[in-house]
Amino acid sequence: MLFGHVLRNWAINMPQISIILPIYNVAKYLPRCIDSVLNQTLKDIEIILATDGPEDCDKICADYAKKDERVKIISHPGGYGKSVNQGIDIAKGKYIGIVETDDWCDSTMFEKLYSDAEKYQADVAKCGFYFSYDFNPREKKNAMEIQDGCFNPMEHLELLRFQPSVWSAIYLKKFLDQSNIRFMEEKKLSYIDAPFHEETFVKAKKYVSLSEPLYFYYQDNPAQSVKSSKKIFDGIKSEEFTFSRLSENKELFDEIKEFFIETTALHLRWNWDRMQTKKDKKAFWEAAHNYVKRLNFDGVQFTAFYDKSLKDFLLYLKKHENYIEYLHMSDKVSWIKILNIPFLKITLRNDKDLSIS
């Protein structure tokens, strides 16, 4: 009996994975998320609830901490980045997991990721995920387009364009500490997962891909950052942070430069396409232009760019402070594409009748 008690305490004090949940104003979804983590088939885990409130979220966290000794609380760390960073700093696990608190996990997710990470002695292990909705939690799945197994990220830099999804992975804590990889800490800043994703990807020596979707990325929360027009400009700050971090190592940056620039272009154009007003477009373009003109394109062949229009967007953005001409140019391209859609082509039949085919 005593031996079993000692073994249990050892497992809790030295968990295999420390799972960090950054919490703010998600009381409606929080129990579902925490339950999915507590009910993992891998039991030797530590759950770190980093709560910035409000009061209803704090109470939910306190209730779970009373019920399960694996639950630890960080009280009001001061933002998403600080929540994760403080969680990493106090974590006792060999690996770190991060779960968004309006999402949830398959019960086998962390056991499978842990098994693969240990099998290959990997720095990062990542699985696929579902885009989940209230009416259908498994509507669409997303996974890295690479065969399951372990690979060297430097041989697959095209995967930088993959959605960051830092929450569908585990990270070797020793790797994060030795590489000094942490989140941006600016309060209330969105899109801070992209720098973490890119830095862990290019600095990892061994990266495991598990295509099976084991994480549910919830899409129906109206408070999501991607649904807020006020948060779009945060993307530029995120890109600037990534650049400052990766360019510190010139040898590394030279090797990844072309793929980094392509990824930057993807992120900026995604934000640009979401602009709804001329005022927002103008302000975003000017800020993005000021950032991109700092990037040195010397030696970049643009062979990594899978989309020529993406290259055109980036080069125009770098050269021109005014977006108006690009807007006209992109509108023309859009109409050309529309007119070339087969079901809109007008054909002449019987020498007289015009019909849509």
Side-chain angles (χ1 to χ4, degrees):
M1 189 74 177
L2 177 61
F3 176 79
H5 178 71
V6 172
L7 182 62
R8 174 170 169 74
N9 283 339
W10 177 86
I12 292 170
N13 291 329
M14 300 185 66
Q16 292 162 336
I17 305 177
S18 294
I19 304 165
I20 303 166
L21 280 64
I23 298 164
Y24 176 68
N25 199 25
V26 286
K28 179 179 178 181
Y29 313 106
L30 190 54
R32 176 181 67 185
C33 178
I34 298 176
D35 286 341
S36 77
V37 177
L38 287 174
N39 293 329
Q40 289 292 302
T41 55
L42 181 68
K43 299 303 180 184
D44 291 340
I45 57 176
E46 174 184 48
I47 299 98
I48 300 174
L49 306 180
T51 174
D52 273 312
E55 186 176 347
D56 52 358
C57 288
D58 292 344
K59 184 179 184 307
I60 291 170
C61 292
D63 289 344
Y64 274 98
K66 290 176 185 176
K67 291 187 291 185
D68 196 312
E69 59 186 337
R70 296 176 298 171
V71 176
K72 306 294 185 294
I73 294 177
I74 298 176
S75 182
H76 293 242
Y80 188 104
K82 289 183 178 180
S83 293
V84 177
N85 290 346
Q86 290 181 30
I88 294 173
D89 290 342
I90 70 167
K92 296 178 181 178
K94 182 175 181 179
Y95 296 91
I96 300 292
I98 303 165
V99 175
E100 297 274 355
T101 43
D102 53 355
D103 302 336
W104 68 99
C105 312
D106 182 278
S107 63
T108 65
M109 172 176 152
F110 286 106
E111 182 174 14
K112 289 178 177 178
L113 288 175
Y114 177 80
S115 176
D116 275 8
E118 286 289 282
K119 176 181 178 180
Y120 295 104
Q121 294 296 291
D123 297 314
V124 182
K126 181 184 285 288
C127 66
F129 61 91
Y130 288 105
F131 288 94
S132 299
Y133 303 84
D134 289 330
F135 64 87
N136 189 348
R138 300 172 186 264
E139 179 170 302
K140 178 184 177 184
K141 69 178 182 178
N142 201 334
M144 300 182 79
E145 295 176 357
I146 191 169
Q147 186 175 355
D148 286 5
C150 187
F151 63 94
N152 180 347
M154 300 306 286
E155 296 175 359
H156 292 280
L157 289 172
E158 73 279 2
L159 295 177
L160 277 173
R161 68 174 71 113
F162 179 74
Q163 181 166 346
S165 61
V166 298
W167 21 256
S168 63
I170 59 172
Y171 309 86
L172 185 67
K173 177 172 164 56
K174 183 178 179 180
F175 159 65
L176 295 179
D177 289 342
Q178 290 182 344
S179 303
N180 190 30
I181 300 175
R182 292 294 190 270
F183 273 74
M184 301 173 66
E185 289 196 345
E186 188 171 337
K187 194 171 183 178
K188 295 184 178 180
L189 191 68
S190 299
Y191 309 112
I192 61 175
D193 51 351
F196 187 85
H197 161 67
E198 292 182 48
E199 192 170 1
T200 52
F201 187 84
V202 300
K203 290 185 177 179
K205 302 301 181 185
K206 292 183 178 180
Y207 206 102
V208 169
S209 173
L210 175 62
S211 61
E212 182 182 2
L214 297 169
Y215 186 96
F216 296 84
Y217 179 31
Y218 184 58
Q219 301 296 296
D220 285 336
N221 181 356
Q224 281 181 319
S225 297
V226 295
K227 297 181 180 180
S228 172
S229 59
K230 296 178 181 179
K231 294 290 187 178
I232 294 176
F233 299 95
D234 290 355
I236 297 173
K237 292 182 180 179
S238 172
E239 295 302 319
E240 290 174 336
F241 181 83
T242 309
F243 174 65
S244 68
R245 291 285 298 169
L246 296 181
S247 60
E248 289 175 354
N249 184 332
K250 186 179 185 305
E251 183 178 352
L252 171 67
F253 190 73
D254 286 346
E255 190 169 354
I256 68 170
K257 185 176 180 180
E258 180 149 342
F259 290 94
F260 167 79
I261 288 175
E262 184 211 24
T263 303
T264 295
L266 276 169
H267 293 165
L268 291 176
R269 190 173 69 173
W270 180 77
N271 276 302
W272 162 257
D273 286 342
R274 297 174 62 230
M275 296 293 157
Q276 298 298 312
T277 69
K278 288 185 177 180
K279 180 180 178 181
D280 284 348
K281 283 185 176 294
K282 181 177 184 295
F284 180 84
W285 186 278
E286 289 175 357
H289 166 75
N290 288 332
Y291 163 60
V292 171
K293 71 180 183 181
R294 291 167 46 202
L295 300 180
N296 183 353
F297 288 2
D298 290 350
V300 177
Q301 302 297 316
F302 297 100
T303 54
F305 281 57
Y306 70 98
D307 181 356
K308 181 180 180 299
S309 68
L310 186 64
K311 172 187 172 183
D312 295 338
F313 166 80
L314 184 66
L315 292 178
Y316 197 93
L317 177 62
K318 182 176 175 67
K319 185 176 180 180
H320 299 280
E321 189 173 0
N322 192 310
Y323 76 96
I324 297 297
E325 288 301 320
Y326 175 77
L327 200 60
H328 293 329
M329 180 176 71
S330 59
D331 283 346
K332 290 177 182 177
V333 170
S334 297
W335 275 109
I336 289 171
K337 288 181 178 179
I338 290 172
L339 290 173
N340 278 305
I341 296 175
F343 64 79
L344 284 181
K345 286 185 179 178
I346 299 176
T347 58
L348 185 64
R349 294 182 178 174
N350 298 326
D351 294 332
K352 292 181 180 180
D353 298 329
L354 288 175
S355 59
I356 303 296
S357 62

